[in-house]
């Protein structure tokens, strides 16, 4: 019924950085392993990030590093994860990993999760007895929705699966468990021959793709669902909003009916992995003229000029790896913090690093 190759296809993974940052130290990729009875494997107790590092004339530059790490800390706070890692330490660790990996461009994956204390194992749902672990890995990742997608756009469907409801699983936390919902959306889409699925929220309004936020263009105005539509507060989404402001393109955050997708002039996805990917059809109905539209192209062009360092960003968006000054001098050696330090840091980390609202309003 469907081609098995399509189901097994992933984007090309040509190079993986041979080291992984773990709890303050760099270890070999091959040594980055967990026990099969770890809490995270059974109960989905992880939070993570996806960050891109772009090739620029000034060397590799990590895109919106602090905002990503801040969102990681916020996700951890929502799930009551007490941990010793600070914003500065994780930012420094990410930059050092990229520098040590020697890649000009890559995708960085920090992950924090509930692990297993092998001397005092705990197997219940209650996560509190399980120790926290933190790893950061990196690899060179191609275009998430395929090489041609950026120009030609993708064919998508509206999923029969709804996005998470706000009072069941908070979509604003980037938690591993949320991606079981994303997998249902993605598997249904690819099984039916689409590149991606768009999920509606529990009220029937447009929410987001399985791993992307969505933007609609109607009569020159850009519209995107608000946080209240159970979306992840995407950092690329925020970048698009800022780019629209800079380009003086009108933008509103508003609930979107499913039918509006079919009559939109243009649609595109935004996300770290997908970057800015035009959508050329929804449920086999062509969007606009059925190819990338002019407003999408303008925003996409500005986005790629910013990420490649050719155009000034609306904010301090690029961390140049070769020029980065570590914020935490005492942590440069990346030793693992110990006992009391962990506890002390945990209280300060959760109090100060998660205090600031991330780059978007949380009350939309
Ligand atoms: C469900 C979901 N929505 C939206 C996004 C886009 O977020 P960002 O632009 O921060 O990568 C992602 C990717 O992280 C995602 O997984």
């Amino acid at each position: 019924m469907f081609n098995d190759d399509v189901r097994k296809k992933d984007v090309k993974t040509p190079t993986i950085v041979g080291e992984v940052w773990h709890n303050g130290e760099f270890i070999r990729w091959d040594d980055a392993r967990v026990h099969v009875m770890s809490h995270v494997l059974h109960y989905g107790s992880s939070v993570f990030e996806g960050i891109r590092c772009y090739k620029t004339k000034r060397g590799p530059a990590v895109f919106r590093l602090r905002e990503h790490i801040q969102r990681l800390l916020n996700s951890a706070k929502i799930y009551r994860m007490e941990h010793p890692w600070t914003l500065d330490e994780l930012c420094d660790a990410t930059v050092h990993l990229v520098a040590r990996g020697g890649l000009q461009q890559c995708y960085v994956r920090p992950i924090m999760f509930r692990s297993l204390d092998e001397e005092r194992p705990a197997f219940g749902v209650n996560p509190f007895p399980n120790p926290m672990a933190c790893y950061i890995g990196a690899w060179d990742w191609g275009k998430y929705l395929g090489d041609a997608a950026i120009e030609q756009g993708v064919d998508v469907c509206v999923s029969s699966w709804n996005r998470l409801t706000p009072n069941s699983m908070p979509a604003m936390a980037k938690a591993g468990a949320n991606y079981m919902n994303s997998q249902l959306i993605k598997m249904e889409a690819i099984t039916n021959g689409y590149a991606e699925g768009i999920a509606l929220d529990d009220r029937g309004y447009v929410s987001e793709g399985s791993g992307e936020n969505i933007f609609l263009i109607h009569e020159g105005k850009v519209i995107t669902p608000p946080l209240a539509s159970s979306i992840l507060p995407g950092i690329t989404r925020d970048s698009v909003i800022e780019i629209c402001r800079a380009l003086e393109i009108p933008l509103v955050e508003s609930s979107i009916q499913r039918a509006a997708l079919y009559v939109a002039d243009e649609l595109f996805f935004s996300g770290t992995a997908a970057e800015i990917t035009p959508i050329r059809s929804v449920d086999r109905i062509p969007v606009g003229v059925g190819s990338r539209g002019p407003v999408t192209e303008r925003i996409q062009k500005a986005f790629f000029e910013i990420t490649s360092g050719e155009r000034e960003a609306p904010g301090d968006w690029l961390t140049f790896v070769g020029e980065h000054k570590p914020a935490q001098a005492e942590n440069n050696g990346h030793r693992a913090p110990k006992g009391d330090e962990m506890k002390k840091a945990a209280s300060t980390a959760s109090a100060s690093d998660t205090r600031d609202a991330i780059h978007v309003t949380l009350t939309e």
Side-chain angles (χ1 to χ4, degrees):
M1 204 170 88
F2 43 76
N3 179 344
D4 207 38
D5 289 351
V6 174
R7 294 199 306 156
K8 293 193 180 143
K9 185 168 79 79
D10 191 8
V11 290
K12 286 186 213 118
T13 304
T15 317
I16 291 171
V17 171
E19 288 182 315
V20 169
W21 184 91
H22 172 226
N23 292 1
E25 287 172 353
F26 288 97
I27 59 171
R28 291 186 325 131
W29 171 274
D30 288 345
D31 296 333
R33 304 195 181 269
V34 295
H35 197 287
V36 293
M37 292 301 159
S38 294
H39 193 272
V40 61
L41 282 184
H42 302 256
Y43 305 118
S45 41
S46 70
V47 294
F48 69 99
E49 271 307 313
I51 311 173
R52 269 198 198 261
C53 173
Y54 285 93
K55 182 178 174 180
T56 77
K57 287 201 185 107
R58 284 163 65 184
V62 185
F63 187 64
R64 306 203 67 177
L65 174 59
R66 289 185 83 79
E67 290 90 333
H68 277 285
I69 299 296
Q70 183 64 64
R71 188 172 65 185
L72 179 74
L73 297 173
N74 290 355
S75 300
K77 186 174 187 188
I78 290 168
Y79 280 99
R80 299 176 189 269
M81 292 173 167
E82 292 203 350
H83 62 83
W85 303 290
T86 64
L87 182 67
D88 283 337
E89 184 182 12
L90 294 176
C91 287
D92 290 350
T94 301
V95 173
H96 288 157
L97 178 71
V98 173
R100 289 164 77 111
L103 298 177
Q104 286 302 302
Q105 59 182 31
C106 60
Y107 178 92
V108 182
R109 170 57 57 82
I111 182 163
M112 252 188 225
F113 58 88
R114 305 218 189 245
S115 177
L116 179 79
D117 181 346
E118 291 185 41
E119 278 162 27
R120 297 170 59 208
F123 303 116
V125 169
N126 172 14
F128 291 127
N130 302 93
M132 291 295 303
C134 184
Y135 290 80
I136 310 174
W139 54 87
D140 186 359
W141 220 7
K143 297 295 175 206
Y144 183 65
L145 294 172
D147 286 339
I150 294 285
E151 264 182 45
Q152 292 168 17
V154 286
D155 300 308
V156 309
C157 60
V158 174
S159 183
S160 67
W161 295 101
N162 281 357
R163 198 75 185 117
L164 309 155
T165 61
N167 211 23
S168 58
M169 300 275 290
M172 62 175 288
K174 194 169 168 69
N178 292 4
Y179 287 80
M180 291 301 273
N181 174 254
S182 291
Q183 287 172 54
L184 291 170
I185 297 163
K186 188 78 179 180
M187 288 187 292
E188 181 185 58
I190 58 177
T191 299
N192 291 324
Y194 299 100
E196 183 57 286
I198 298 169
L200 306 179
D201 65 20
D202 60 323
R203 304 161 306 163
Y205 289 102
V206 173
S207 177
E208 60 181 350
S210 73
E212 311 84 10
N213 294 116
I214 189 165
F215 287 83
L216 180 154
I217 294 144
H218 179 67
E219 293 178 353
K221 193 190 274 182
V222 179
I223 307 163
T224 195
L227 256 76
S229 290
S230 278
I231 62 163
L232 181 76
I235 287 157
T236 321
R237 174 184 180 273
D238 179 68
S239 306
V240 169
I241 292 171
E242 291 297 326
I243 287 170
C244 285
R245 258 184 215 140
L247 298 179
E248 297 183 351
I249 300 173
L251 181 138
V252 289
E253 292 171 83
S254 145
S255 299
I256 297 174
Q257 288 192 25
R258 172 182 184 159
L261 298 172
Y262 303 131
V263 294
D265 298 330
E266 302 177 36
L267 289 176
F268 66 86
F269 280 135
S270 75
T272 297
E275 298 171 302
I276 298 199
T277 299
I279 297 170
R280 66 181 176 193
S281 74
V282 181
D283 295 333
R284 308 265 181 245
I285 300 175
V287 176
V289 292
S291 61
R292 179 176 62 184
V295 180
T296 305
E297 191 174 352
R298 234 181 118 202
I299 296 168
Q300 200 187 40
K301 185 165 174 282
F303 177 79
F304 284 124
E305 283 172 358
I306 290 169
T307 56
S308 63
E310 288 156 33
R311 182 192 189 109
E312 203 181 329
D316 196 10
W317 287 2
L318 293 178
T319 301
F320 292 94
V321 170
E323 302 166 20
H324 177 69
K325 306 245 179 322
Q328 285 202 322
E330 71 273 22
N331 264 330
N332 287 352
H334 290 289
R335 69 187 168 74
K338 310 211 166 57
D340 287 353
E341 283 173 84
M342 298 267 278
K343 282 213 186 84
K344 193 168 152 231
S347 57
T348 46
S350 51
S352 64
D353 287 344
T354 52
R355 188 184 305 131
D356 301 332
I358 37 181
H359 52 281
V360 285
T361 52
L362 301 179
T363 50
E364 299 161 41

